Amino acid sequence: MSSKTFPSTATPPKPDAHPVKDVRHGIERVDEYAWMRADNWQEVLRDPSLLAPEIRAHLEAENAYEKALMEDTEALQKTLVAEMRGRIKEDDTSVPAKDGPFAYGGGFRTGGEYPRFFRTPREGGEEEVLLDGDVEAEGKSYFRLGGADHSPDHSQLLWGHDDKGSELYTLSIRDLATGRDLEETVAETGGSGEWDAAGKGFFYTRLDANHRPSKVFYHAVGTAPEADRLVYEEADPGFFVSVSSSRLNDWIYISAHDHETAECRLVPAGDPSAAPRLVLPRQTNLQYDLEEGGDVFFILTNADDAKDFKIVTAPVSAPSRENWQDLVPHEPGRLILSIMAFSGFLVRLERKDGLPRIVVRARASGEEHTIAFDEEAYSLGLHGSYEYDTDTLRFSYSSMTTPEQVFDYDMRTRKRTLLKTQEVPSGHDPEDYVTRRLMAPAGDGELVPISLVHRKGLALDGSAPCLLYGYGAYGMAIPASFNTNCLSLVDRGFVYAIAHIRGGKEKGYTWYEDGKREKKINSFTDFIACARHLVAEGYTSHDRIVAEGGSAGGMLMGAVANMAPDAFGGIVAAVPFVDVLNTMLDDTLPLTPPEWPEWGNPIALRSDYDTIAAYSPYDNVGEKPYPPILALAGLTDPRVTYWEPAKWVARLRQRGTGTNPVLLRTNLDAGHAGASGRFTRLEEKALTYAFVLKVTGNV
């Protein structure tokens, strides 16, 4: 890739270096850009205007430099936005889900940026709009809706919103008879709540000063939020707390968990003042999750060395572990992802051989059957249900060539009814595309799945450009689902590929374990192996591959840039977690203690320090030629703080050799998820794609 693609007249920012020394385990490190971390970062999350002027000036200078180097693509970006918008059905609406006398749904109006929520009579009829996101967002530079949940008696709507991008949500209560919100609001919450059985109040999580959901409160409707009752407080700074409820509205579940361990408490939804009842005390690496099935709980757990999880049952009256009975035994290599219980059936979503499948089990007989699909690579999703006493299961299916389809499935007759197919207004013919599943050999003999899509008739002579996406962390599996945006590249001759590297759970729980902590290096070498395999198979060439990843996938981008810069013609790193060592050494940051099970605790253990120091992208920037890099950040991001990509970009310019540009774009009005509107988000994606097209010479 030649730097001649970019104008040579623009001068990149040259931030001052103010070396700060840090000594841990007898090892000294120097961070010359530590000053970019605002001392008042917690206040900045709540009020971005409080950012120190010198830091804001630097971020604005970086934005100006990025704009100058990408200025010649502005017309292209507008074209890309128009293309991507043309594939979106602007007045798209979900298939309403039935609940008692109503059916509830959501969707967008033509031209609308934000969703609206509505209900109709149960069997159809006129829509009653309950909440209009576009109306609520008026006058706000950022707006994101949280949960929107109707009360059991259908008279109220509990809904949340964030207008900073800091993921501090305010909860409001709407009287559905009048359409007006009550005066009381609950601030700095996790974004949603769970109603009690009578609809007289709700349970919710509140975030602490370090942005951790650490407390569960109960709010009685009509009372001052300051008087809300504390239901549960989690003392361990490494654990998050969440609240959910059963489909029968019988139970409130309070879960305390990190990435490896779970602990659940129960509160009767009909008696919200009852003390939470502990199901099973936490045991390191033991996970369990409850699903109510009338007089029994179905429990998804990894107990008894069930690494890929099994399903047990326990009486609702006595769900402690001594009463657990195996129902669906552990099967190595078959990862059970989630379960749903109905009066007559138990449904599980699982993954085997890298592909998802839905298995339906008749509760009375134990007979099981699998809902079958034909394509090489595809994605499935369970849509949930408000109702328990039903034979109908709703699920979605898509592939990299097939738009999403929503089905109702009669679990008794096994009849599949297509309710909706995702519309692509500008047109889409799946027959024009090819989706494939490849297996890339890793250095240690493992085979790494790759899902890809390209136009039919593509010549496998190495000439095609390629966008290779990766994540590889937290056990998150990246689905091979339909993506209308990437068609703007595919229709220009690109191969769009997803590397299902270790750190996800695509091939079971071991696939996750082999890509974390002391084995994290596998995620990076897997991704590089995927790039090399695509070249070996004739799909592309190394100078034609642009790598893309965000958040923990952005860390992947930083690591592979250091390890194999010659393997890629460009890199896009969105909100990249690149300052791993400094962040994991700072236990005052929002996510640091809860992240130690994933990455290791370098404060406590020298071995963890050494592991992270060996790959942390910021710490390993070297004197080598890097490919062109575009980094994207959000000022109010509580997950990957803005200073991580800012510091990384500064050091890449300081230490890297060669003349390829390194760009940073910081959204000064948004956080981790980027722009909040569905169309404004397309502008960020258009910038990314314009960069990809530019560095591959396709502009």
Side-chain angles (χ1 to χ4, degrees):
M1 171 60 219
S2 170
S3 61
K4 293 180 181 178
T5 305
F6 295 87
S8 59
T9 53
T11 302
K14 293 184 178 180
D16 293 335
H18 301 293
V20 174
K21 293 183 180 179
D22 180 75
V23 180
R24 309 290 178 114
H25 307 291
I27 303 169
E28 180 181 294
R29 290 181 308 121
V30 176
D31 186 352
E32 64 274 28
Y33 300 117
W35 63 269
M36 294 185 186
R37 177 193 188 278
D39 291 335
N40 66 334
W41 61 266
Q42 291 163 312
E43 288 76 20
V44 171
L45 286 178
R46 293 162 173 80
D47 184 356
S49 69
L50 298 177
L51 183 67
E54 63 273 17
I55 300 175
R56 181 176 292 276
H58 174 66
L59 297 179
E60 289 175 344
E62 288 283 9
N63 283 354
Y65 177 64
E66 175 273 321
K67 182 175 176 60
L69 265 65
M70 294 296 293
E71 189 173 18
D72 62 337
T73 69
E74 288 183 358
L76 171 62
Q77 290 180 48
K78 291 179 181 178
T79 298
L80 290 167
V81 167
E83 288 177 7
M84 292 185 284
R85 185 164 180 165
R87 300 188 193 102
I88 297 173
K89 180 173 167 47
E90 295 207 8
D91 57 349
D92 197 20
T93 299
S94 68
V95 180
K98 296 176 180 179
D99 185 20
F102 298 103
Y104 290 83
F108 296 85
R109 65 161 57 90
T110 299
E113 290 275 11
Y114 303 98
R116 60 184 179 85
F117 297 92
F118 65 88
R119 68 185 178 190
T120 67
R122 181 179 177 89
E123 300 304 330
E126 185 177 351
E127 290 184 2
E128 175 190 359
V129 176
L130 309 179
L131 178 67
D132 190 325
D134 289 312
V135 172
E136 304 300 335
E138 286 180 5
K140 298 179 174 66
S141 59
Y142 180 94
F143 183 80
R144 186 175 294 277
L145 285 169
D149 186 29
H150 60 273
S151 59
D153 65 0
H154 306 278
S155 68
Q156 301 171 94
L157 185 76
L158 177 64
W159 67 282
H161 81 278
D162 167 22
D163 58 11
K164 299 286 192 303
S166 57
E167 300 179 29
L168 293 165
Y169 287 84
T170 297
L171 294 179
S172 301
I173 308 158
R174 180 157 296 182
D175 182 340
L176 295 181
T178 65
R180 297 192 182 93
D181 290 333
L182 306 185
E183 290 187 6
E184 68 218 59
T185 59
V186 184
E188 301 199 352
T189 76
S192 62
E194 297 292 343
W195 289 101
D196 65 24
K200 301 297 185 183
F202 55 86
F203 296 82
Y204 66 93
T205 59
R206 185 172 288 169
L207 277 62
D208 63 16
N210 282 340
H211 218 85
R212 179 177 65 101
S214 60
K215 297 178 181 179
V216 175
F217 285 88
Y218 176 77
H219 176 77
V221 176
T223 66
E226 295 77 19
D228 287 358
R229 175 171 55 87
L230 177 64
V231 177
Y232 175 75
E233 180 174 4
E234 175 54 53
D236 189 330
F239 274 64
F240 293 97
V241 175
S242 62
V243 177
S244 58
S245 63
S246 65
R247 196 172 299 108
L248 282 168
N249 293 319
D250 285 351
W251 297 101
I252 300 294
Y253 305 125
I254 298 174
S255 174
H257 53 89
D258 63 11
H259 295 297
E260 298 177 337
T261 304
E263 181 179 72
C264 184
R265 288 170 171 80
L266 299 169
V267 177
D271 185 10
S273 63
R277 174 168 53 127
L278 179 62
V279 175
L280 176 66
R282 69 189 65 174
Q283 301 173 25
T284 301
N285 297 323
L286 177 63
Q287 300 177 48
Y288 66 97
D289 190 35
L290 275 64
E291 173 78 355
E292 187 191 10
D295 59 352
V296 301
F297 282 121
F298 296 101
I299 304 173
L300 180 61
T301 180
N302 65 349
D304 307 314
D305 298 319
K307 183 175 290 189
D308 288 320
F309 289 78
K310 64 178 180 176
I311 302 172
V312 303
T313 61
V316 162
S317 58
S320 54
R321 188 170 179 179
E322 61 266 21
N323 296 318
W324 290 10
Q325 298 289 325
D326 282 8
L327 180 71
V328 179
H330 176 242
E331 180 183 309
R334 179 201 63 188
L335 179 65
I336 303 177
L337 300 168
S338 63
I339 56 177
M340 287 180 61
F342 299 89
S343 58
F345 299 91
L346 177 67
V347 178
R348 66 180 187 265
L349 178 64
E350 60 187 34
R351 185 178 295 111
K352 189 172 184 179
D353 299 325
L355 289 174
R357 64 185 188 184
I358 297 171
V359 180
V360 178
R361 179 187 182 96
R363 290 178 59 176
S365 66
E367 180 185 4
E368 295 186 351
H369 69 273
T370 300
I371 305 176
F373 304 93
D374 298 327
E375 293 186 85
E376 276 190 41
Y378 54 84
S379 173
L380 293 175
L382 296 178
H383 277 221
S385 170
Y386 290 117
E387 298 183 328
Y388 172 79
D389 190 13
T390 178
D391 291 341
T392 301
L393 169 69
R394 183 166 293 176
F395 69 87
S396 60
Y397 171 90
S398 76
S399 75
M400 297 182 80
T401 58
T402 304
E404 183 182 67
Q405 299 171 325
V406 178
F407 294 90
D408 268 355
Y409 182 77
D410 189 311
M411 294 179 281
R412 200 168 300 279
T413 66
R414 306 187 185 184
K415 179 183 178 182
R416 190 183 309 184
T417 303
L418 178 63
L419 301 177
K420 177 184 176 181
T421 298
Q422 178 183 352
E423 294 184 42
V424 182
S426 59
H428 174 74
D429 185 351
E431 296 301 316
D432 292 338
Y433 302 89
V434 174
T435 185
R436 293 291 315 280
R437 185 82 152 186
L438 308 181
M439 302 300 281
D444 61 359
E446 284 285 1
L447 294 176
V448 185
I450 304 172
S451 300
L452 63 81
V453 61
H454 60 76
R455 293 281 299 190
K456 188 173 289 185
L458 181 80
L460 299 182
D461 59 3
S463 63
C466 173
L467 181 64
L468 178 61
Y469 178 85
Y471 187 73
Y474 304 113
M476 298 288 291
I478 305 302
S481 54
F482 190 62
N483 176 353
T484 59
N485 290 341
C486 76
L487 295 178
S488 284
L489 295 179
V490 173
D491 287 345
R492 287 175 169 83
F494 272 71
V495 174
Y496 179 79
I498 301 169
H500 302 287
I501 58 179
R502 278 174 279 190
K505 291 179 184 170
E506 280 87 344
K507 295 178 72 175
Y509 202 84
T510 298
W511 199 246
Y512 168 42
E513 291 182 319
D514 286 349
K516 65 185 293 192
R517 296 193 70 150
E518 71 277 2
K519 297 180 180 179
K520 188 62 204 171
I521 192 72
N522 287 334
S523 300
F524 315 139
T525 54
D526 281 359
F527 190 82
I528 295 166
C530 288
R532 300 204 187 286
H533 187 65
L534 288 168
V535 172
E537 293 296 306
Y539 282 95
T540 187
S541 300
H542 283 297
D543 63 348
R544 307 282 280 156
I545 300 176
V546 179
E548 181 187 19
S551 195
M555 178 194 65
L556 169 71
M557 296 299 101
V560 301
N562 289 330
M563 295 171 64
D566 60 329
F568 306 99
I571 289 176
V572 176
V575 291
F577 179 35
V578 284
D579 196 11
V580 186
L581 187 55
N582 279 321
T583 295
M584 290 297 101
L585 286 167
D586 187 349
D587 58 7
T588 70
L589 291 174
L591 297 183
T592 292
E595 295 292 283
W596 286 332
E598 180 77 15
W599 313 106
N601 183 347
I603 299 174
L605 297 174
R606 167 68 186 268
S607 58
D608 285 351
Y609 181 99
D610 290 342
T611 295
I612 296 172
Y615 69 74
S616 176
Y618 181 63
D619 294 276
N620 287 278
V621 172
E623 295 183 1
K624 62 187 71 174
Y626 285 88
I629 293 174
L630 171 64
L632 303 171
L635 178 59
T636 55
D637 188 345
R639 299 174 184 264
V640 177
T641 48
Y642 71 85
W643 59 82
E644 293 207 24
K647 290 168 57 179
W648 179 54
V649 165
R651 185 172 276 184
L652 281 166
R653 292 208 198 100
Q654 177 200 43
R655 296 185 180 178
T657 61
T659 57
N660 286 324
V662 181
L663 309 180
L664 172 64
R665 160 74 74 87
T666 301
N667 189 327
L668 300 176
D669 295 312
H672 195 67
S676 57
R678 60 171 175 160
F679 299 132
T680 55
R681 281 198 296 271
L682 296 180
E683 295 174 8
E684 293 185 351
K685 182 56 67 175
L687 171 65
T688 295
Y689 284 179
F691 176 83
V692 170
L693 289 162
K694 190 176 177 72
V695 300
T696 54
N698 286 267
V699 174

